[in-house]
Amino acid sequence: MTRKLRVRQAQTVLPFGVGAVLDVQGESFVAAGIETWPQAKTPVPSERLATRLGATGFYAAPHTLNDRYDQPDRPGVPYVRFPGWLFCGSCRAMVRFLREHEKPGEPPVCTSCSAAPRLTPMRFVRICADGHLDDVDWWYWAHSSLAPELRAACSEAKHAWKARRLSFRVADRASGLEALSVRCGATRDGGKPCGAERDLLDILGPQGGRCSGRNPWQRRNENSSCSQQVHNVQRTAGNVYYPVVFSALDIPQTAEPSRAEQDLAEAVRGHGYWTNLIDTLGTSRADLFRGMIKEDTDAPDSLIDQLLAEATGAPAPLPADRPEPAKLDLSRDEWYAFDAVELPEPTKEFEIRRGGLDLDGETEEPWATLDAHIDGIVLADRLREVRALTGFRRHSPHGTLVRADTSGRLRWLPATEVYGEGIVLTLDEQRLTDWENDPRVRAHVHGVRTDLDASFRDEQLAETVGSELSPRFLLLHTLAHLLIRQLSFDSGYTTASLRERVYGRPEYGQRGLLIYTAAGDAEGTLGGLVRQGEAPHFAETLIRMLEAAAWCSADPLCAEHTGQGFGNLNRAACHACTLLPETSCQTGNTLLDRALVVGSARVPGYFTDVLTASREYAAAMALG
Ligand SMILES: [Zn+2]
Ligand SMILES: [Zn+2]
Ligand SMILES: [Zn+2]
Ligand SMILES: [Zn+2]
Ligand SMILES: [Zn+2]
């Protein structure tokens, strides 16, 4: 019997990237660190992403028909069998399956039974918050209730990690974990049977004993000394693996600053004190002028620095009390490209055109009101996205980051490229600003911001949200979720095949979102999503989305929530109305609130007027 293990190249970053545990046809493996990758790999260029992540470059696993865990010289990504402990469903013998037992293309079978049935991986594994993963010490488990001297008397005690006489038993009369036990069939010094046995009732959760300080593909001498408590979990549990993935779209180098940023730059350069600021640079008076320009224009320091550098031909002197310049913001240039006055020329990696709701001059409701809330639509016929895995965490999302290269020697990262298409929706800046200045909106978002500050400040969350959570981010993010759900309902795309990118940072003039599908190769995708974004479908989709968003099957509970989801970072948003598959969302399904879209008793939604107009229109139609 031979079998092929097939992991597609696109899956080698997500969901089966370095450190992930995967089930393949009844066998279980873990994806090994990139230091074990074969020499032949495919370069994946992405200059912006490399700059952002400080990597020398990216490589994808070479294409292969059969990803081989057991032959390091062959193409494909190496996967290592894990857990190493397997059992026979027929005779219940437990087998520590070693690398030297592997036969290429063949699953492990029981050598104690004549029918040689396939062995099954044990269901439980051990993890720690420093990102280590190992087998449960089953020999120790079976002997854990014995006195130390009896334990030491077992003939298997000296090579417990590959003990040969364990069995995994099921009791007939009990159920649940209590029905399962591990038993030792070895002998004690003196020839008596050992017979140590313990059921699995307490197998899950924190355990005593030391962490091995490594991951399964690392050699025994590659361990680090780890003082974290170990936790036993099911190997399919969600907390075994939290990948850390960054992604960037390819955009033409010439992408210009957005209109809003150009306007802001004009306001700064046109300010009465601008020339005074340039003339007094380096003196304390400059700080005064700078302060007044900032106050009048709301321009961020980064923009003023940039304009000063342009005006003086030198980098602006950094005041000592200001932190280092922020890391390259990936969303910033992407937004410039989508919001440019003149859209960039199409390339192999980036082709966009202006779309629209086609509602100009429309006086009928709800279309006229809808049109007033939307600034524009850009259709992306072609996008290229590079996704790179920097590493992973275990036990909790705040665990220690384990780098994709566990040897610590490599400066490149594993990545994949995908091509796709998308729809960019941009909201009206003036209406958005007015809405954001409503005290009820400010107070509402202030509450979420407080919860966000109290929760972990995950680097990636801060990277997406910006230095301070804005009302527009929450609005646009929720809108992206609702739109993905509606598009999926209308067009047959699964929600998992659509993704969001939220451009909600007011300091860059951002006020939009991108919904895209990225699963295609260089030939691209079929254009189905872009068609959904064309007139007249899209205006209808938006109205249907708003009507659906006003109601959740978990209401009134969902609508009135003051904190649900991870870190209580969601308000009116749950699985029934707003949440998406993890892979579709940039923020792990946090920072969502339908109330900011459609309104609630406490806070006006950006689209409340549109919804009201739509309902009045429906009521008028019903009355004839
Ligand atoms: Zn057997
Ligand atoms: Zn024993
Ligand atoms: Zn550890
Ligand atoms: Zn809900
Ligand atoms: Zn999301």
Side-chain angles (χ1 to χ4, degrees):
M1 175 171 48
T2 61
R3 55 93 172 89
K4 282 192 189 299
L5 298 175
R6 182 91 166 85
V7 174
R8 283 184 291 117
Q9 188 193 42
Q11 299 174 310
T12 56
V13 163
L14 264 182
F16 303 141
V18 174
V21 177
L22 56 148
D23 267 47
V24 188
Q25 297 160 29
E27 295 177 77
S28 179
F29 300 91
V30 63
I34 55 171
E35 71 275 13
T36 66
W37 278 28
Q39 285 296 323
K41 330 179 249 295
T42 318
V44 180
S46 179
E47 211 172 298
R48 293 171 61 236
L49 196 57
T51 308
R52 167 64 188 84
L53 299 177
T56 52
F58 305 101
Y59 290 94
H63 283 287
T64 171
L65 279 177
N66 186 6
D67 280 292
R68 300 301 279 270
Y69 61 94
D70 45 9
Q71 288 177 298
D73 54 330
R74 297 281 289 271
V77 167
Y79 291 92
V80 172
R81 184 174 304 285
F82 180 82
W85 276 108
L86 315 171
F87 72 94
C88 170
S90 174
C91 72
R92 309 305 295 186
M94 285 176 70
V95 178
R96 177 72 194 217
F97 207 79
L98 304 176
R99 200 85 66 102
E100 65 242 37
H101 298 149
E102 299 284 0
K103 294 201 182 105
E106 287 180 32
V109 295
C110 180
T111 51
S112 314
C113 294
S114 54
R118 282 170 70 154
L119 295 171
T120 308
M122 292 297 284
R123 207 200 307 169
F124 305 95
V125 299
R126 197 165 83 170
I127 57 173
C128 86
D130 274 355
H132 303 129
L133 170 71
D134 205 347
D135 275 276
V136 174
D137 185 342
W138 290 113
W139 179 88
Y140 185 84
W141 183 264
H143 296 75
S144 53
S145 44
L146 295 184
E149 60 276 14
L150 276 181
R151 201 183 302 150
C154 173
S155 61
E156 297 279 87
K158 287 192 185 61
H159 48 263
W161 71 278
K162 52 171 187 177
R164 287 156 305 179
R165 305 295 303 275
L166 296 178
S167 56
F168 184 46
R169 295 156 61 94
V170 202
D172 296 334
R173 290 179 174 268
S175 64
L177 292 176
E178 214 174 343
L180 303 171
S181 66
V182 175
R183 182 185 163 90
C184 177
T187 51
R188 264 183 213 149
D189 304 343
K192 279 202 183 113
C194 170
E197 181 165 7
R198 182 173 172 191
D199 70 38
L200 302 195
L201 184 62
D202 300 319
I203 188 74
L204 290 172
Q207 307 287 328
R210 285 174 68 94
C211 174
S212 64
R214 61 191 179 93
N215 269 283
W217 60 89
Q218 295 181 282
R219 286 180 224 286
R220 271 161 202 279
N221 58 11
E222 287 178 281
N223 65 333
S224 56
S225 76
C226 177
S227 54
Q228 294 282 355
Q229 175 152 53
V230 292
H231 296 255
N232 287 346
V233 296
Q234 305 221 31
R235 66 170 198 273
T236 51
N239 63 349
V240 169
Y241 187 60
Y242 297 96
V244 180
V245 173
F246 288 79
S247 92
L249 299 178
D250 277 6
I251 48 162
Q253 289 294 338
T254 54
E256 282 184 16
S258 71
R259 275 175 283 170
E261 188 147 329
Q262 284 173 353
D263 291 348
L264 196 53
E266 268 327 298
V268 171
R269 280 191 292 242
H271 195 278
Y273 288 134
W274 177 245
T275 45
N276 303 64
L277 171 59
I278 295 174
D279 292 343
T280 57
L281 271 180
T283 73
S284 59
R285 285 170 60 80
D287 292 345
L288 275 175
F289 292 127
R290 186 184 183 112
M292 283 186 280
I293 293 172
K294 270 185 74 169
E295 201 176 300
D296 293 343
T297 61
D298 272 337
D301 278 313
S302 55
L303 178 65
I304 297 179
D305 286 342
Q306 184 198 325
L307 295 175
L308 280 175
E310 283 170 17
T312 62
L318 279 179
D321 59 344
R322 214 134 35 78
E324 287 178 51
K327 284 179 182 156
L328 173 71
D329 188 292
L330 290 169
S331 83
R332 187 183 155 133
D333 296 345
E334 293 174 10
W335 173 250
Y336 288 168
F338 291 129
D339 192 43
V341 181
E342 241 176 89
L343 295 183
E345 288 291 310
T347 67
K348 286 205 316 294
E349 290 85 26
F350 194 80
E351 187 176 341
I352 61 178
R353 63 187 150 104
R354 236 176 266 291
L357 294 178
D358 210 7
L359 294 175
D360 284 353
E362 179 68 62
T363 53
E364 246 182 73
E365 294 298 349
W367 313 112
T369 307
L370 174 66
D371 195 37
H373 284 72
I374 307 290
D375 182 32
I377 313 286
V378 168
L379 300 172
D381 293 301
R382 198 170 170 77
L383 297 169
R384 175 179 177 268
E385 185 191 24
V386 172
R387 294 178 197 149
L389 179 82
T390 56
F392 61 87
R393 299 182 162 96
R394 304 201 194 277
H395 184 58
S396 91
H398 344 249
T400 310
L401 178 77
V402 177
R403 292 185 52 86
D405 158 39
T406 33
S407 75
R409 292 189 310 266
L410 306 173
R411 300 243 0 245
W412 58 272
L413 291 170
T416 54
E417 63 173 10
V418 272
Y419 286 81
E421 56 179 295
I423 305 170
V424 180
L425 173 69
T426 304
L427 302 186
D428 184 77
E429 176 63 38
Q430 191 53 53
R431 274 186 191 262
L432 194 53
T433 311
D434 292 348
W435 173 78
E436 283 188 306
N437 286 333
D438 187 303
R440 290 166 297 172
V441 173
R442 282 172 174 263
H444 191 81
V445 173
H446 180 78
V448 186
R449 202 179 290 147
T450 308
D451 286 340
L452 179 61
D453 290 341
S455 79
F456 72 109
R457 292 287 296 183
D458 186 302
E459 188 190 352
Q460 274 184 304
L461 210 51
E463 169 131 350
T464 310
V465 171
S467 51
E468 190 178 77
L469 178 69
S470 63
R472 70 177 64 191
F473 182 90
L474 277 173
L475 165 67
L476 288 161
H477 183 216
T478 313
L479 201 56
H481 277 233
L482 299 170
L483 193 51
I484 285 179
R485 290 171 70 105
Q486 191 64 42
L487 283 167
S488 148
F489 191 78
D490 288 354
S491 69
Y493 279 96
T494 63
T495 50
S497 67
L498 299 174
R499 287 165 184 255
E500 67 181 2
R501 280 175 113 78
V502 180
Y503 302 104
R505 300 177 62 162
E507 67 266 36
Y508 301 144
Q510 296 183 349
R511 56 188 191 291
L513 59 91
L514 164 69
I515 307 296
Y516 65 111
T517 174
D521 57 13
E523 299 303 310
T525 48
L526 297 169
L529 181 62
V530 161
R531 269 194 297 284
Q532 292 295 319
E534 288 173 343
H537 310 297
F538 199 54
E540 291 162 10
T541 300
L542 288 173
I543 293 293
R544 278 197 297 273
M545 173 201 76
L546 292 175
E547 276 164 2
W551 185 82
C552 165
S553 61
D555 280 343
L557 212 61
C558 175
E560 288 164 10
H561 234 293
T562 53
Q564 53 181 330
F566 186 83
N568 291 328
L569 294 179
N570 290 335
R571 296 297 185 260
C574 73
H575 279 286
C577 59
T578 313
L579 269 51
L580 292 176
E582 289 277 319
T583 48
S584 302
C585 178
Q586 282 181 295
T587 66
N589 272 322
T590 62
L591 302 173
L592 295 162
D593 187 358
R594 284 183 293 132
L596 295 179
V597 179
V598 295
S600 74
R602 276 167 293 174
V603 65
Y606 178 80
F607 285 103
T608 300
D609 292 350
V610 182
L611 197 60
T612 309
S614 172
R615 284 172 174 166
E616 282 170 1
Y617 171 78
M621 292 301 283
L623 290 172

